[in-house]
Amino acid sequence: MKEPINEDQFTNEQEDVLKSIRVSRIILPILIGVGVVAYLLWEQFDVEDFKQINWSRHTVLWVLASISFLVIRHIAYATRLRILSEKAFSWRKCVELIFIWEFSSAVSPTSVGGSAVALFVLAQEKLSAAKTATIVIYSAVLDTLFFVSTLFFLYLFFGVSMIRPASIDGSIASGLEVAFVGAYFFMLIYGSLFFYGLFVNPKSFKWALNKITDIKWLRKFKIKSIELGNDMIVASREMKQKRWTFHVGSFLSTATAWSCRFILLGCLVIAFKPGLVNGFLEHFKLYARLESVFVIMAASPTPGAAGVAEFTFATLVKDYIPQTGLALLIASLWRLMTYYLYLLAGAVVIPNWVRKLLNQRKKQK
């Protein structure tokens, strides 16, 4: 039996972060995700949907392909962390830290993410304040840049069909469109402000944050805004020293990681619907649709988009997979591989990681 984590040896602020990544927090997202899938199956279950599944060599090969993209995705994130930290971490450490980062995102509302945890984790790894701020802020900029740029070109190419299947109810389609447009413009504004603060004028960014949080109902965020403004100034100084290869490597690893997320899900769709997608253009269109799923998930208030992800996927792929039961089976496999896996992995990695920190602190005394 593992010893409980003794949080008394951390500051109050650090304790708050540790509480946000406690293993007990995996219960709520699991209950939400399983509950939504169970409800949808209860409402629309048809045994014929499952009888149509042909567990053939084709299915196995495409499921294995999706697993390979899961591994590549994790390695790509670890590569980005190694680049951003300028090799301060070993490859093994990068892989471990990505597990913690992904876990924190999985137990936080998708619209909030795990940035506070990332700052705390990197600070405990003895990185300088400048490097820590740079990694977290630039990661957010890179993620946003990828989505904003790719979605713009995908929409120019495929139009509204990438977010609105013709086969779904008008009110649901309209709701998903509003969520998509809202999430996209939030990303655009958020990304533009952070890009401006990081590369153009961090002092003006800090000044604007301070002015905004002078508003009465935003004053509770004043301290956090000051910290963010200071971090932005520090990170901006770091960015001015980077060579172009640093930026290219960071963006390519980001693009690889995110692309693997969508391709992985596409592999699962093809695994259970042989002959559904033929030719590069059709594959590309499916990719665009699946990226739209992730954008709508970004606006979710639930931890890790639990429940929202399954519903959104089953709805947006209705013209590809009209059988709700089959769509939910694919969604469940996808979430098992990319979401619940990180919840379980975090439940193992995080207690060991915290225990190592405590042991190091005891040795230093």
Side-chain angles (χ1 to χ4, degrees), residues 73 76-77 79-81 83 248-258:
R73 188 196 78 165
Y77 275 133
T79 301
R80 181 174 76 172
L81 180 56
I83 292 171
V248 171
S250 300
F251 182 76
L252 288 179
S253 55
T254 299
T256 300
W258 277 110

Side-chain angles (χ1 to χ4, degrees), residues 66 69-70 72-74 77 80 98 101-102 105 110 143 146-147 254-268 287 290-291 294 297 304 334-335 338-339 342:
S66 68
F69 281 109
L70 174 65
I72 294 170
R73 188 196 78 165
H74 195 96
Y77 275 133
R80 181 174 76 172
I98 292 301
W101 202 325
E102 288 288 303
S105 297
T110 308
D143 290 338
F146 172 80
F147 268 102
T254 299
T256 300
W258 277 110
S259 297
C260 283
R261 283 178 182 259
F262 316 135
I263 296 171
L264 179 158
L265 184 49
C267 287
L268 289 177
Y287 175 95
L290 296 177
E291 186 166 339
F294 278 80
M297 284 168 55
W334 159 50
R335 295 290 277 172
T338 62
Y339 181 63
Y342 281 107

Side-chain angles (χ1 to χ4, degrees), residues 78 91 255 287 319:
W91 281 107
Y287 175 95
D319 49 347

